[in-house]
Amino acid sequence: MAGRYGRPRSFLRVRSLAGQVFLLQVAIVVLIVAAAVAALVLQSRADSTREARNRSVAVAETFANAPGTEAALEGPDPTAVLQPRAEAARKGSGVDFVVVTNLESIRLTHPLPDRIGKKFVGDVGPALRGHVVTEEIDGTIGPLIQAVVPVFGSDGEVVGLVAAGITIKNISGVADDQFPLLFGSAAGVLLLAMGGTALVTRRLNRQTHGLGPTEMTRMYEHHDAVLHSVREGVLIVGGDGRLLLANDEARRLLGLPQDVEGRTVEELGLAPDVAELLTSGRSATDEVHSAGDRLLAVSQRATDRNGGPAGSVTTLRDTTELQALSGSAATARGRLKLLYDAGAEIGTALDVVRTCEELVGFATDRFADFATVDLAEGVLRGDEPAATRASTEGLRRSAFSGDRQDTGLYPLGSVIRFLPTTAIGAGLLRGDAVLDTDLTARSGWQQQHPERAERIVESGFHSLMAVPMRARGVMLGVAMFWRVQRPEPFEEEDLSVAEELVARAAVSIDNARRYSREHNVAVTLQRSLLPQGLPEQSAIDAAYRYLPAQAGLSGLGGVGGDWFDIIPLPGARVALVVGDVVGHGLHAAATMGRLRTAVHNFSTLDLPPDELLWHLDELVARIDQDESAEGSEGAGVTGATCLYAIYDPATGRCTMARAGHLQPVIVDPDGTATFADVPGGPPLGLGGMPFETLDVQLPRNSRLVLYTDGLVEERHRDIDEGLELLRGTLAGHPDRTPEETCEAVLRVLVPARARDDVALLVARTLRLAAGNVAEWEVPSDPAAVADIRAAVSRKLAEWGLDEEAFTTELILSELVTNSIRYATGPIRVRLLRDRTLICEVSDRSSTSPHLRQAASMDEGGRGLFLVAQMAERWGTRYTDGGGKVIWTEQLLQSGGPGPV
């Protein structure tokens, strides 16, 4: 712009607006700096004077109260004593004099010795009355500021005066020393301010292009005259979406008020398509948009080209003469909107029937009075459809929408077989849509069912569209649309819209069908991996619940990784297990099955809980390594927890360990509910941390409650709140059965649509009767074998098990003999009468016997072989003290006495 007017572009040119602003800013900065310097000089002098007064008072008071000052004043020669002290105090404190006088104001000390003995200059009256005096006077060493303080005797009377002061010359010198720094700082501030002013002026010069005020005023007037006189609307929108300018024509075309500048585009009340164009900032050329009863040709360009500001300029031209074309455009937009709305309202859930219901509901709301959907039976079951065209086999009516039921249409759930001799049946066999604009003409459609056809016509039905439902090249069924209340019949354009609508719905139905099939497979897999019932055992009375997550809320609804188990162990014991695999779907279910199988396998080794979890942790780590190896498609185990507990009904002892799982709840027989303090271990698969156990003694009729986090953790409830709610639900009800406990807990804690799986296991502890347990300690002497055999025979006779005596004696003879021969420490024999007869022989040796086949010439090696043949089961488990227990089980004809 400066070049246009023949001027150089220097921003210091005084005639330009930028130059004038620069000079004004420099003048203002100079005045501000000068005022600041003057104020600082005055402040510096005032501060120096105040500092001199304070220092003088402090030095005088310190000297007056110094030890020995009072004694020296009352001594025979005060000057000899006080003169050296006064000079030392003067030099040390930085004052110009320290003078001591008597009550007659005669100097006893002075920096100039010839002034000693002369009259002190100053007002000493207040000091003689016990007050401190500060004043500015002309003293014997020049103008100065001094302070006079009294010296009090031991009786409280003034015995002398001490004066200290600083000359005005020294005070001024202190202030003058600050002038170089002060003026240097002022110069720096001035230079910095002028530099900033120069930068601001340069920016202003670029914005105004070097123009002066008069030139800018003239340019604005020309711009305003042109802008508001043209017959084309102009809008300027800033980068923040606010309207910066709108000329008169734009206000007229869009119906905008006069004070529209500064508002956002959304606040203008424009048509949605026009507002979207203005806010998008995209380039447009002669796009046609409607504004009320006008059609506008809209063009738009961005303003940030070549470094300009962000925003856009939009021009509007009235093209109302194109109104004749607006009808077709509106129709096209209406159909596009209908299909857009259909995409948002149809297929919202992965459910075949619900998608069909959404389709017929959408159709009756928009363009039809009645609508039906008929699907092949295989589609409803989730099977893969094989036919590429409609079959003459029956289709089941899966959805029906209309305001009446007594119309003659097939009701919901009916099986319909379309006759190939009718237009509809023939069209469906070909895979073509069928349009019948006049049902009253009875063009052959009534052959399907003449009686129903009569009722349909009598009910006012006059137009029909039948559209096959296709997806991935196969036929799923047919959708039919009817008109009754709407007087106009369906047209070819309506049929094309219906075909597009049904095609989109068919994709959603096929997706739902495939989901249903995969979901059924996943649910079947997961259900097969969970326990199918409670095993027979006498240690606990148990009940359990497993609730899958609600479908659609968490992956494949009903398929998760929560699991539980009750595993009978040797010695009438039982293992209780609850675990959780993070996530949902087939992978979580498969991982759960692997872990459950592993726990079963490890439990056969009769490992204590901490060792079993250690082995399970190693297994999960190996699974992660295998599935995360290069080229593997597995996702690994994203997280797994487990709680493992072993309960012995003979002793009431329960041993528990956990790996990242929540604490179990123990409910005492009196109804008190507490969380078991099981030492926490890391989740499975992390490794590196040992697991610890908790041993508790559970009385008979205690409840042990194991659960997964889905029971207590909920979206709108903190987990601590859920745990406390669980404890409160369990407490105070000692008479509840395990089944009743499960129902009460689920009723209180689980919402109607759970977002996570829930596994709950409640075990009521039982105890073996004391009369069904017998124990003996056996000396390490082979002769003791006969005694133990006799004792066991007597106990079996007492239990009424004489027929088991021979086998039991043989088994115990072999096991006890092996312990005497190969083991150390005390040997104990325990006999348990439960569902089976259990024999246990324990010793201090950690060496486990192995079954082997003895050769023909071997003298030993046949004892364990005989034990294995005579017992139903046998095995070894290790004890905490480093020993072992060899056990056997024998079946009883009577089934055992049962627990108490």
Side-chain angles (χ1 to χ4, degrees):
M1 292 295 294
R4 294 181 184 179
Y5 292 91
R7 299 187 309 277
R9 293 183 178 272
S10 173
F11 70 93
L12 295 177
R13 185 177 180 86
V14 178
R15 290 184 56 190
S16 68
L17 178 63
Q20 295 177 15
V21 171
F22 175 78
L23 292 179
L24 178 61
Q25 288 180 330
V26 168
I28 293 174
V29 169
V30 170
L31 290 176
I32 292 175
V33 170
V37 169
L40 290 174
V41 170
L42 295 176
Q43 181 65 35
S44 177
R45 290 187 179 275
D47 292 342
S48 299
T49 301
R50 183 169 56 254
E51 174 62 23
R53 291 178 181 273
N54 294 338
R55 185 184 300 180
S56 299
V57 171
V59 172
E61 288 182 340
T62 302
F63 193 88
N65 296 319
T69 302
E70 175 189 357
L73 286 172
E74 296 175 353
D77 189 1
T79 299
V81 176
L82 296 176
Q83 176 68 10
R85 295 183 183 179
E87 286 300 296
R90 178 182 66 83
K91 295 177 182 179
S93 61
V95 297
D96 291 326
F97 68 91
V98 176
V99 174
V100 182
T101 70
N102 56 20
L103 297 179
E104 290 78 23
S105 300
I106 302 300
R107 299 189 186 97
L108 301 178
T109 65
H110 197 278
L112 302 177
D114 60 336
R115 306 295 171 90
I116 298 174
K118 296 181 179 181
K119 190 74 172 179
F120 176 77
V121 179
D123 184 11
V124 298
L128 293 173
R129 291 190 296 272
H131 302 292
V132 177
V133 180
T134 59
E135 57 184 352
E136 186 174 343
I137 63 171
D138 288 328
T140 57
I141 58 176
L144 54 84
I145 293 175
Q146 69 180 6
V148 181
V149 300
V151 180
F152 295 95
S154 58
D155 57 356
E157 297 293 328
V158 177
V159 298
L161 304 177
V162 176
I166 302 176
T167 61
I168 299 297
K169 178 181 179 181
N170 289 339
I171 296 174
S172 301
V174 173
D176 294 343
D177 291 341
Q178 300 178 1
F179 285 165
L181 176 61
L182 184 62
F183 286 110
S185 301
V189 170
L190 181 61
L191 291 176
L192 182 62
M194 291 183 66
T197 302
L199 293 176
V200 172
T201 306
R202 183 180 296 275
R203 176 65 178 177
L204 180 61
N205 187 67
R206 286 200 301 268
Q207 296 292 329
T208 60
H209 302 283
L211 296 176
T214 303
E215 295 165 337
M216 292 185 64
T217 301
R218 184 172 63 251
M219 179 177 292
Y220 173 78
E221 293 172 348
H222 292 170
H223 167 269
D224 190 70
V226 172
L227 182 66
H228 293 285
S229 62
V230 297
R231 301 303 298 170
E232 184 168 336
V234 178
L235 297 173
I236 300 179
V237 179
D240 59 353
R242 295 185 177 275
L243 186 64
L244 303 180
L245 183 144
N247 68 349
D248 296 339
E249 182 68 8
R251 290 190 177 95
R252 184 183 70 84
L253 295 176
L254 297 176
L256 300 177
Q258 291 297 322
D259 58 343
V260 73
E261 282 82 5
R263 300 184 185 180
T264 62
V265 174
E266 291 79 6
E267 297 174 355
L268 303 181
L270 302 177
D273 52 345
V274 177
E276 186 276 333
L277 176 62
L278 293 178
T279 55
S280 66
R282 60 181 175 86
S283 298
T285 302
D286 291 336
E287 287 190 6
V288 178
H289 294 270
S290 61
D293 57 352
R294 294 186 178 91
L295 284 180
L296 304 179
V298 184
S299 298
Q300 182 170 279
R301 294 292 184 273
T303 60
D304 57 357
R305 298 180 179 179
N306 302 322
S312 61
V313 176
T314 306
T315 59
L316 313 170
R317 288 185 293 108
D318 191 355
T319 58
T320 310
E321 64 273 10
L322 300 176
Q323 187 67 41
L325 301 176
S326 64
S328 300
T331 302
R333 275 199 308 273
R335 289 177 176 173
L336 289 176
K337 185 176 186 304
L338 183 143
L339 295 176
Y340 173 80
D341 293 342
E345 297 180 24
I346 299 176
T348 59
L350 290 173
D351 184 86
V352 173
V353 174
R354 182 174 176 182
T355 304
C356 295
E357 293 172 348
E358 291 172 345
L359 171 60
V360 297
F362 181 85
T364 54
D365 288 341
R366 303 302 179 95
F367 62 90
D369 297 319
F370 285 81
T372 60
V373 173
D374 307 319
L375 295 180
E377 293 283 357
V379 175
L380 292 172
R381 293 193 302 266
D383 297 339
E384 186 74 26
T388 58
R389 295 185 179 181
S391 131
T392 57
E393 299 179 0
L395 300 178
R396 185 171 296 277
R397 180 140 295 176
S398 305
F400 181 101
S401 179
D403 58 359
R404 304 196 333 255
Q405 297 294 329
D406 56 342
T407 58
L409 297 178
Y410 286 98
L412 194 66
S414 302
V415 176
I416 307 172
R417 292 176 175 82
F418 292 96
L419 300 178
T421 57
T422 63
I424 297 177
L428 294 179
L429 285 175
R430 295 191 306 270
D432 298 332
V434 176
L435 171 63
D436 194 330
T437 60
D438 187 6
L439 295 178
T440 59
R442 293 174 173 81
S443 56
W445 65 274
Q446 73 279 1
Q447 298 176 11
Q448 179 71 33
H449 199 297
E451 293 81 3
R452 290 185 177 276
E454 285 299 326
R455 292 175 56 191
I456 289 173
V457 174
E458 291 174 359
S459 299
F461 287 79
H462 61 80
S463 186
L464 161 69
M465 291 188 300
V467 183
M469 305 190 75
R470 289 174 171 275
R472 298 185 297 113
V474 297
M475 191 69 68
L476 305 178
V478 59
M480 304 179 71
F481 308 97
W482 314 74
R483 276 188 177 173
V484 183
Q485 288 87 6
R486 291 176 172 87
E488 65 277 4
F490 288 119
E491 301 175 350
E492 289 291 340
E493 293 180 354
D494 296 319
L495 183 62
S496 64
V497 173
E499 288 179 325
E500 179 68 21
L501 182 65
V502 171
R504 296 189 180 193
V507 174
S508 298
I509 291 174
D510 188 59
N511 290 338
R513 177 198 60 78
R514 299 172 67 182
Y515 169 83
S516 298
R517 182 185 60 182
E518 295 176 2
H519 178 257
N520 291 336
V521 171
V523 168
T524 302
L525 170 63
Q526 197 229 13
R527 297 294 183 183
S528 66
L529 295 176
L530 287 173
Q532 304 303 309
L534 296 177
E536 292 187 359
Q537 45 79 35
S538 302
I540 58 172
D541 178 16
Y544 65 89
R545 293 291 187 276
Y546 175 80
L547 298 180
Q550 179 67 34
L553 294 179
S554 188
L556 289 174
V559 181
D562 289 14
W563 55 283
F564 64 93
D565 229 326
I566 300 176
I567 306 173
L569 296 178
R573 297 169 303 139
V574 67
L576 305 177
V577 194
V578 169
D580 186 3
V581 176
V582 175
H584 296 82
L586 285 175
H587 184 265
T591 302
M592 176 270 288
R594 298 168 75 175
L595 295 183
R596 180 169 178 255
T597 302
V599 170
H600 270 270
N601 292 336
F602 291 144
S603 67
T604 60
L605 301 177
D606 215 343
L607 299 174
D610 54 339
E611 291 188 27
L612 185 141
L613 290 182
W614 183 85
H615 286 288
L616 200 61
D617 180 70
E618 290 288 311
L619 174 64
V620 173
R622 287 197 299 271
I623 292 176
D624 281 336
Q625 292 174 1
D626 294 341
E627 295 190 352
S628 61
E630 185 177 357
S632 174
E633 297 182 356
V637 181
T638 57
T641 64
C642 184
L643 173 66
Y644 188 83
I646 296 177
Y647 173 68
D648 188 349
T651 62
R653 178 190 179 194
C654 184
T655 305
M656 295 176 279
R658 63 187 180 105
H661 206 80
L662 295 174
Q663 302 276 21
V665 181
I666 297 177
V667 183
D668 294 335
D670 60 357
T672 303
T674 57
F675 289 98
D677 191 16
V678 183
L684 298 174
L686 298 183
M689 295 290 291
F691 298 98
E692 300 181 29
T693 60
L694 171 69
D695 286 336
V696 294
Q697 196 73 22
L698 298 181
R700 187 169 66 90
N701 288 331
S702 298
R703 271 82 170 165
L704 183 62
V705 182
L706 286 67
Y707 53 94
T708 57
D709 58 359
L711 181 67
V712 295
E713 192 172 19
E714 211 268 325
R715 184 177 182 180
H716 303 292
R717 183 179 63 206
D718 186 72
I719 188 171
D720 292 334
E721 181 183 351
L723 290 171
E724 183 58 28
L725 186 60
L726 172 62
R727 191 198 63 77
T729 304
L730 294 172
H733 300 280
D735 55 341
R736 280 178 180 167
T737 66
E739 287 288 343
E740 294 171 344
T741 302
C742 288
E743 290 298 328
V745 169
L746 296 184
R747 185 170 56 252
V748 174
L749 277 86
V750 180
R753 295 173 63 86
R755 304 185 66 90
D756 196 5
D757 300 349
V758 175
L760 174 64
L761 179 59
V762 179
R764 182 174 68 91
T765 59
L766 306 176
R767 295 291 292 270
L768 293 180
N772 293 326
V773 180
E775 292 187 82
W776 299 273
E777 186 166 345
V778 182
S780 296
D781 183 0
V785 176
D787 297 334
I788 194 64
R789 290 178 60 176
V792 168
S793 296
R794 288 192 298 270
K795 178 56 69 173
L796 292 178
E798 179 183 334
W799 287 345
L801 300 177
D802 300 276
E803 63 275 9
E804 307 292 339
F806 176 76
T807 304
T808 306
E809 289 180 15
L810 187 58
I811 291 174
L812 284 176
S813 296
E814 178 59 34
L815 297 182
V816 173
T817 301
N818 281 344
S819 294
I820 293 174
R821 179 178 300 176
Y822 302 110
T824 60
I827 301 172
R828 298 189 64 84
V829 174
R830 188 169 71 160
L831 205 62
L832 303 176
R833 182 191 180 196
D834 190 32
R835 296 176 184 271
T836 60
L837 182 61
I838 303 169
C839 301
E840 295 181 348
V841 178
S842 60
D843 54 48
R844 302 294 295 174
S845 173
S846 60
T847 303
S848 176
H850 296 281
L851 183 66
R852 66 184 181 90
Q853 186 71 37
S856 58
M857 300 301 293
D858 290 344
E859 295 184 359
R862 298 178 179 83
L864 283 180
F865 181 79
L866 293 175
V867 170
Q869 294 297 315
M870 295 182 176
E872 181 68 18
R873 297 170 58 209
W874 76 281
T876 304
R877 68 174 182 270
Y878 294 95
T879 60
D880 297 337
K884 68 175 182 300
V885 176
I886 305 176
W887 55 269
T888 65
E889 290 186 3
Q890 301 166 242
L891 294 179
L892 298 178
Q893 299 297 327
S894 61
V900 295

